[in-house]
Amino acid sequence: MSSKYCQITLIIHDGIVRSGLEKLLTDIPMVASIDSGTSLADIPPNLDEEPQEVLFLSSTDPGWTETLREALGQRAPKVLLVLPEPTTLSQPEEIAGIDGLLIQRQINRSSLERALTQVMNGEVTLPPSIARQLLANTARSERPRRVRPHALTDRERQTLRLLADGLSNKQIGRRLEISEHGAKRLVANVLIKLDSFNRTNAVATAMQEGLL
C-alpha cells in the first residue's frame, strides 16, 4: 500500500452515500483527515501542500461540474467521481479533470483503498465496465472527430489500450513483459503525445479522436 497520506473532502449531497463513504474511509490508514459537506464553501481550504487533498464528487449531484471547476481552480486536488452506474457517464469529455471513477454499488473498503493508492501514485481508477461503456458511446457518436496526427509507436498504442482498461503501471509492465519503470516511461510518452494532464484525460482524448 502507498505510504503517502491524503486529506479527504467529500462534496456529496446524498447524506446516506456521504456517511457511508466516511465510515469506509475512516478505516483506511492512508487517510489523514475527512471533511464533508454539500459545497466547497462548507470546507476550509487546505493551506498546506501535504497531505494531498482527494476530492470525492457524485455525478448525481446538480452542479457537480461547477464544483469540479472551482476545486481545480482553487485547491488542486486529486478528484474521484462516484457514478451510480457506468451508463450514467455519456461522453468521454465528461471525465476531463477527473483522476478516477468509482461505481457506487461496487464501492467497499478495499476498492476505496485501491483507488486512493492509485490516484496518489499518479495513476487512474477506471473500472473496465466504464471503459467499455465509454468506448461504446464514442463508437455511436456521429460527431466529427478532430483529425490530429499522433506519432504513437506500436508499444505506446498497446499501453494506451491497457490504460483504457484501467491497469496500473505495474500491471501494464507485467502485461507487456517489461519493468514497472519501463511502463511508467511509456505512460509518460502517451500523456505527452496526447497533450493530456493525466491518464483519464488521455483515455478520453484517445476515444474522442478514434485512437481506441
Side-chain angles (χ1 to χ4, degrees):
M1 187 182 69
S2 172
S3 60
K4 299 178 182 178
Y5 286 85
C6 56
Q7 170 184 299
I8 303 298
T9 300
L10 299 170
I11 304 298
I12 295 178
H13 290 198
D14 189 317
I16 295 176
V17 174
R18 191 170 65 247
S19 297
L21 285 171
E22 284 188 60
K23 181 176 177 58
L24 292 172
L25 289 163
T26 299
D27 293 331
I28 297 177
M30 67 186 297
V31 173
S33 64
I34 303 173
D35 290 312
S36 65
T38 58
S39 75
L40 283 177
D42 298 331
I43 311 299
N46 178 24
L47 300 179
D48 299 323
E49 293 185 0
E50 297 293 341
Q52 169 73 53
E53 181 179 18
V54 179
L55 172 64
F56 282 74
L57 299 173
S58 172
S59 67
T60 62
D61 289 347
W64 74 264
T65 54
E66 287 77 10
T67 301
L68 172 63
R69 283 193 292 270
E70 181 184 352
L72 294 178
Q74 298 179 2
R75 307 165 75 102
K78 301 284 188 179
V79 183
L80 289 170
L81 180 64
V82 178
L83 305 171
E85 296 289 342
T87 52
T88 59
L89 193 68
S90 60
Q91 298 297 339
E93 59 266 26
E94 292 183 35
I95 61 176
I98 301 295
D99 296 286
L101 301 168
L102 297 167
I103 301 173
Q104 185 172 311
R105 59 184 171 81
Q106 295 177 353
I107 292 175
N108 54 39
R109 183 191 178 283
S110 295
S111 66
L112 278 178
E113 187 167 19
R114 182 167 58 252
L116 290 174
T117 299
Q118 288 177 323
V119 298
M120 290 293 287
N121 288 332
E123 300 174 5
V124 66
T125 294
L126 186 63
S129 57
I130 292 179
R132 288 193 294 270
Q133 182 63 41
L134 286 170
L135 284 169
N137 290 341
T138 302
R140 288 195 297 268
S141 175
E142 296 181 356
R143 293 175 303 160
R145 290 170 175 152
R146 290 175 291 163
V147 178
R148 185 173 69 184
H150 296 288
L152 294 178
T153 66
D154 289 341
R155 206 61 155 166
E156 288 164 353
R157 288 181 179 276
Q158 287 179 300
T159 301
L160 179 59
R161 287 192 290 270
L162 295 175
L163 285 177
D165 286 336
L167 271 63
S168 67
N169 288 340
K170 182 178 292 186
Q171 291 170 322
I172 290 173
R174 288 174 180 169
R175 190 71 62 87
L176 298 181
E177 298 182 344
I178 58 176
S179 68
E180 184 177 355
H181 178 74
K184 288 181 180 179
R185 186 168 60 249
L186 283 171
V187 169
N189 289 344
V190 170
L191 296 186
I192 291 170
K193 290 184 178 181
L194 295 184
D195 192 25
S196 299
F197 50 85
N198 63 25
R199 297 155 70 103
T200 311
N201 185 242
V203 172
T205 298
M207 290 175 177
Q208 286 179 303
E209 301 194 5
L211 298 176
L212 286 170

